[in-house]
Amino acid sequence: MRNFIYICCCFFTMQIAGQELNCSVTVDASRIQNSNSQVYKTLESAINEYFNNTKWTNKNYKPQEKINCAVILNILEQPSSNQFRGNIQVQVSRPVFNSSYQTPIFNFKDDNLSFSYTEFQPLNFNENSFDSNLLSILTFYAYTILGIDGDTFALNGGQEYHVQAEKVVNLAQQGGSKGWNRKDGNATRYQLNENLLSPVFKDYRVAVYEYHINGLDKMTVNKKESKKAIANAVKKMQNLYNRRINASLLRLFMDTKSDEIVDIFSGGPRTNNGALKEMLLKIYPSYGTKWDKIKI
């Protein structure tokens, strides 16, 4: 009886902790031949526990408030028994108010995945030190997920988490791995975080907030007005284009939202979509076949 009470208390304590992420983790090593497949299963389990069991904030999240996300590690090379290289894909969604719909809010592929891992190696969180490149990458994306999600519910609502992610970037630079420095090119962790915090690209976070709060979240109240709000939010992407034609946040927004934008503006109550379609064709022509489906 005493043991039963102890187990119940432990379970209750775990529930009270209210971890913030509901993360699905996949480690895909199908391209690696003649290797120990068990290490990948162990790694997948360890990363799953790291994301879902770490307390990332001082807030208590109810089960229905947890952030739904998926993290896929594609292992493309294994130079040695404990060295791995490949890419990592991070996808995040959040619920739309008064509906069962989950809207995508982050879809990012990071080609600078390289790390050391020995089977059963513990993944322990320490925000004040650099312990390994793997831990830094996972921690960076945990805070970035929290930041992106927060930005959709309040204007700059994810600021504190983007700042935490910046601290991870700064600490990880001492490890010497690619992806943490300005010189490492586009679509890196450094550039993603730097752009999200930069006043130069503030329109991105304003657009993300208005798109969700004034647009999607009010769709059941007034669909036509919501579509207008979404169109106005999307048009703010032109400001990013005007500042830097190949802005990484512009690409991030389009990779995440393009299919949804087409769905919204290819049916339902008509709004004046001509200017929106023209702008999208100008600033992101590579998705021209998608934009052609928008009805004006």
Side-chain angles (χ1 to χ4, degrees):
M1 183 66 174
R2 182 177 299 172
N3 289 338
F4 175 76
I5 293 172
Y6 173 77
I7 293 170
C8 288
C9 288
C10 289
F11 177 77
F12 182 74
T13 301
M14 290 173 63
Q15 292 295 98
I16 287 295
Q19 278 74 11
E20 302 84 353
L21 304 181
N22 179 30
C23 191
S24 169
V25 177
T26 302
V27 175
D28 183 353
S30 56
R31 297 191 186 185
I32 306 298
Q33 302 297 321
N34 302 319
S35 64
N36 174 20
S37 60
Q38 183 58 44
V39 70
Y40 302 115
K41 295 177 183 178
T42 305
L43 174 62
E44 183 177 278
S45 177
I47 295 174
N48 183 75
E49 285 191 25
Y50 186 69
F51 276 123
N52 293 306
N53 293 345
T54 299
K55 189 77 170 69
W56 297 104
T57 75
N58 58 4
K59 301 174 183 176
N60 286 322
Y61 280 55
K62 297 176 182 177
Q64 66 271 21
E65 294 175 334
K66 290 187 177 184
I67 303 169
N68 292 320
C69 52
V71 174
I72 304 168
L73 283 76
N74 293 301
I75 308 300
L76 305 180
E77 300 177 46
Q78 188 177 348
S80 65
S81 61
N82 67 340
Q83 295 287 325
F84 306 90
R85 296 175 189 159
N87 61 62
I88 180 170
Q89 183 93 28
V90 182
Q91 299 169 326
V92 187
S93 64
R94 70 91 136 166
V96 171
F97 181 71
N98 212 18
S99 81
S100 59
Y101 177 59
Q102 290 275 334
T103 178
I105 59 174
F106 187 63
N107 183 12
F108 187 76
K109 182 185 177 187
D110 178 351
D111 288 318
N112 296 299
L113 178 68
S114 63
F115 61 92
S116 301
Y117 175 75
T118 303
E119 192 170 9
F120 304 115
Q121 171 186 331
L123 300 180
N124 296 322
F125 173 69
N126 188 336
E127 65 178 20
N128 296 314
S129 68
F130 171 77
D131 297 305
S132 74
N133 202 46
L134 176 61
L135 271 171
S136 293
I137 291 171
L138 301 180
T139 305
F140 171 83
Y141 282 114
Y143 281 127
T144 299
I145 289 167
L146 287 162
I148 293 287
D149 181 73
D151 284 343
T152 70
F153 287 102
L155 184 58
N156 297 323
Q159 181 71 10
E160 63 180 298
Y161 307 119
H162 293 310
V163 170
Q164 283 292 109
E166 182 184 35
K167 292 179 182 178
V168 176
V169 171
N170 293 335
L171 281 171
Q173 288 173 353
Q174 63 188 271
S177 296
K178 194 172 181 181
W180 300 112
N181 293 278
R182 183 183 297 275
K183 65 180 181 180
D184 293 336
N186 297 326
T188 62
R189 297 177 289 277
Y190 175 91
Q191 186 182 67
L192 172 63
N193 179 256
E194 193 272 338
N195 285 184
L196 285 168
L197 288 170
S198 172
V200 174
F201 300 110
K202 65 180 181 180
D203 288 300
Y204 174 84
R205 293 171 72 184
V206 173
V208 164
Y209 166 70
E210 293 180 352
Y211 183 107
H212 294 92
I213 291 295
N214 298 330
L216 284 183
D217 283 345
K218 295 183 179 179
M219 195 67 80
T220 58
V221 178
N222 189 321
K223 196 167 186 177
K224 189 169 185 177
E225 290 302 312
S226 294
K227 289 176 72 171
K228 289 180 181 178
I230 291 170
N232 289 334
V234 174
K235 288 175 184 176
K236 285 184 169 60
M237 290 298 108
Q238 184 159 5
N239 295 333
L240 272 69
Y241 174 84
N242 291 339
R243 291 187 177 95
R244 190 174 299 168
I245 291 177
N246 61 345
S248 60
L249 289 183
L250 175 61
R251 182 173 62 253
L252 172 63
F253 185 86
M254 295 305 175
D255 287 348
T256 303
K257 288 295 190 181
S258 58
D259 289 337
E260 184 175 76
I261 291 168
V262 171
D263 287 342
I264 290 170
F265 293 103
S266 61
R270 291 292 185 94
T271 56
N272 184 12
N273 299 327
L276 173 66
K277 184 174 182 178
E278 183 180 349
M279 184 213 71
L280 287 169
L281 285 167
K282 175 185 176 183
I283 70 172
Y284 216 79
S286 59
Y287 282 173
T289 54
K290 290 186 180 184
W291 309 139
D292 284 339
K293 297 175 184 178
I294 294 176
K295 294 181 180 179
I296 60 175

